[in-house]
Amino acid sequence: MRKKLISLLAAAALLLTSCGNAVAEYSSGADDLSSAVSSAGADSFVSLTETGTETTSGTSSSAAETSPAASETTSESTSAAPETTAATTTAVSETTTTTTTTTTTTTAPPETTAATTTTTAPETTTTTTTTTSETTTSQKKTETSAVSETEKKTAKPAEEKPKEEKPKEPDLPKCSAAAVWCADDGELLYGRNMKGTISIASVTKLLTASVALKYMKPSAKITVGNEVSFAKPDSTMAWLSVGCKLTLADLIYAMLLPSGNDAAYVMAVAVAKKVYAGREMSERQAVDLFVGLMNDCAAELGMTHSHFSSPEGWDDKDNYSTMNDLLILFGHALSVPEIANAAATYQKTVQFISGGSMTWTNTNLFLNPQYGFFREDCVGLKTGTTADAGACLAAAFKKGGKTYICAAFGCADNLSRYYAVQALRDTFL
């Protein structure tokens, strides 16, 4: 209780101090003083004023020093109060009013200050934030711009990807199959319809010569028999006579240069009779046996999509090949000297063992200096023409120390095959 009382007395002392200060401020006003005197009497007012002043001063001093002093001062003030009850009441009332007014006046500045602070602070903060934000944004833009410029200066130009070259497409006349192939390394530079089945006409004779040299020596002597009659009357001929005797090497010239179908049948019968010696057979049977040897040889070479039915390559549904298989045959033919030499020869005169001679000219116009198609770099190979096969040509050319085959099959006519092969040569070699 005592602690609470002391706290209350301290609070009262502070209030009285404020009132005393207020009275002191307004005590100089004559009108206000007269009004106070008229209401309560001069003596009472003076007594109250003195008592209030002393009490206030004492209370303020005591409150500042110790709580017991404040308690004693308050007790003294309380005991003096009954002597001037009316005056004290009036004075207190007026003093209270004045104090209220003074308090209101005194508290106004803090509100103003608070308002000013409240208003100013956000504006200042906002402005600062905006400025900072703008500065930061500006810095970022500047940095970004600087980085961008640096990247532009330091960035390496994008490397252009090498354009993929499209395969060359030569301007060829109409043909069913075509190819450009290196016989030395097997590189295929160009191919059209490489796997399609095609008729190959007299190009078949390259296989006929290959089979003959497989079983007989080039120097072997061969006598021409009645088998020459198996050749079609309107086909190309070497014009061999029955009873004429010549070597296999010379017979190869007779078959390849003028593309003699009669020479092909003579070769087939001679080889079959040697391979199947001691067996009774007619010339026709001998040809059939030889055709069997042709298919065996083709299989051994790897010509798995080919079949043969005659030594000269006349049109027949069972005589066919593909461009892929023919490249194998061309490569093999060039590897056999007797075939390669004959195929590269423009013209050949042969002395028969039986007497007489014959001169043959190669049907390949790339070897013929009398024609505009002549090319010094041409080293063979073989022509062929039938109704089903069309005009066909495989020509070998030397370029950069390598041998290349340019072939065009199924052309419309004799000249077209030369234009086609020439276009292949000029485009790829």
Side-chain angles (χ1 to χ4, degrees), residues 192-277:
R192 176 191 292 184
N193 188 26
M194 300 299 291
K195 298 180 180 180
T197 299
I198 55 177
S199 295
I200 61 175
S202 289
V203 177
T204 301
K205 292 167 183 169
L206 292 174
L207 182 62
T208 299
S210 298
V211 174
L213 289 168
K214 180 181 179 180
Y215 295 102
M216 297 180 71
K217 292 180 180 181
S219 59
K221 297 179 178 59
I222 298 174
T223 301
V224 177
N226 293 324
E227 63 273 6
V228 292
S229 62
F230 296 159
K232 303 293 187 294
D234 56 348
S235 64
T236 52
M237 306 285 282
W239 304 111
L240 295 174
S241 302
V242 177
C244 178
K245 186 179 288 187
L246 68 169
T247 63
L248 176 58
D250 290 340
L251 189 58
I252 290 175
Y253 280 99
M255 182 176 67
L256 296 183
L257 270 63
S259 196
N261 291 339
D262 51 352
Y265 279 105
V266 170
M267 193 176 296
V269 171
V271 172
K273 286 185 176 181
K274 182 178 186 303
V275 173
Y276 300 100

Side-chain angles (χ1 to χ4, degrees), residues 68-420:
S71 179
E72 293 173 1
T73 305
T74 304
S75 298
E76 291 177 0
S77 299
T78 303
S79 62
E83 295 181 1
T84 56
T85 304
T88 301
T89 302
T90 304
V92 169
S93 177
E94 291 179 2
T95 304
T96 302
T97 303
T98 304
T99 302
T100 303
T101 304
T102 303
T103 302
T104 303
T105 305
T106 304
T107 56
E111 291 179 357
T112 305
T113 304
T116 303
T117 304
T118 304
T119 303
T120 305
E123 291 178 356
T124 304
T125 303
T126 303
T127 304
T128 303
T129 303
T130 303
T131 305
T132 304
S133 177
E134 291 177 355
T135 303
T136 304
T137 304
S138 178
Q139 289 177 347
K140 287 183 178 179
K141 288 182 178 179
T142 304
E143 290 174 0
T144 302
S145 177
V147 171
S148 178
E149 290 298 325
T150 303
E151 288 178 349
K152 287 181 181 179
K153 291 179 180 179
T154 59
K156 296 181 180 179
E159 295 182 0
E160 293 185 2
K161 294 182 178 180
K163 295 181 179 180
E164 294 183 2
E165 293 186 4
K166 294 182 178 179
K168 296 178 181 179
E169 185 62 37
D171 184 15
L172 298 180
K174 180 182 177 181
C175 61
S176 60
V180 178
W181 177 73
C182 180
D184 294 293
D185 57 26
E187 181 184 4
L188 182 66
L189 282 69
Y190 175 79
R192 176 191 292 184
N193 188 26
M194 300 299 291
K195 298 180 180 180
T197 299
I198 55 177
S199 295
I200 61 175
S202 289
V203 177
T204 301
K205 292 167 183 169
L206 292 174
L207 182 62
T208 299
S210 298
V211 174
L213 289 168
K214 180 181 179 180
Y215 295 102
M216 297 180 71
K217 292 180 180 181
S219 59
K221 297 179 178 59
I222 298 174
T223 301
V224 177
N226 293 324
E227 63 273 6
V228 292
S229 62
F230 296 159
K232 303 293 187 294
D234 56 348
S235 64
T236 52
M237 306 285 282
W239 304 111
L240 295 174
S241 302
V242 177
C244 178
K245 186 179 288 187
L246 68 169
T247 63
L248 176 58
D250 290 340
L251 189 58
I252 290 175
Y253 280 99
M255 182 176 67
L256 296 183
L257 270 63
S259 196
N261 291 339
D262 51 352
Y265 279 105
V266 170
M267 193 176 296
V269 171
V271 172
K273 286 185 176 181
K274 182 178 186 303
V275 173
Y276 300 100
R279 180 190 298 188
E280 292 288 335
M281 66 184 75
S282 64
E283 283 78 7
R284 180 60 66 180
Q285 290 174 330
V287 170
D288 292 340
L289 290 171
F290 181 80
V291 170
L293 296 174
M294 290 176 68
N295 286 308
D296 290 343
C297 183
E300 291 172 4
L301 292 175
M303 300 173 67
T304 57
H305 296 87
S306 302
H307 191 272
F308 300 90
S309 60
S310 71
E312 91 274 39
W314 196 257
D315 286 338
D316 188 277
K317 64 179 182 178
D318 290 328
N319 203 93
Y320 59 83
S321 187
T322 66
M323 185 58 74
N324 274 335
D325 279 5
L326 287 176
L327 294 181
I328 296 173
L329 178 59
F330 299 152
H332 173 74
L334 290 175
S335 70
V336 180
E338 291 78 11
I339 299 175
N341 291 337
T345 301
Y346 156 61
Q347 199 171 66
K348 178 73 172 179
T349 298
V350 173
Q351 297 291 329
F352 297 126
I353 298 172
S354 57
S357 66
M358 183 81 66
T359 301
W360 298 297
T361 302
N362 203 315
T363 57
N364 183 355
L365 299 183
F366 284 120
L367 296 171
N368 194 331
Q370 298 180 14
Y371 285 84
F373 291 110
F374 174 71
R375 295 291 181 273
E376 290 184 354
D377 58 349
C378 183
V379 291
L381 197 54
K382 190 69 186 75
T383 62
T385 307
T386 62
D388 290 347
C392 305
L393 172 61
F397 298 92
K398 281 285 188 180
K399 187 76 172 182
K402 294 183 179 180
T403 302
Y404 295 89
I405 302 294
C406 297
F409 281 59
C411 298
D413 52 54
N414 183 41
L415 292 180
S416 292
R417 61 183 171 185
Y418 289 101
Y419 287 126

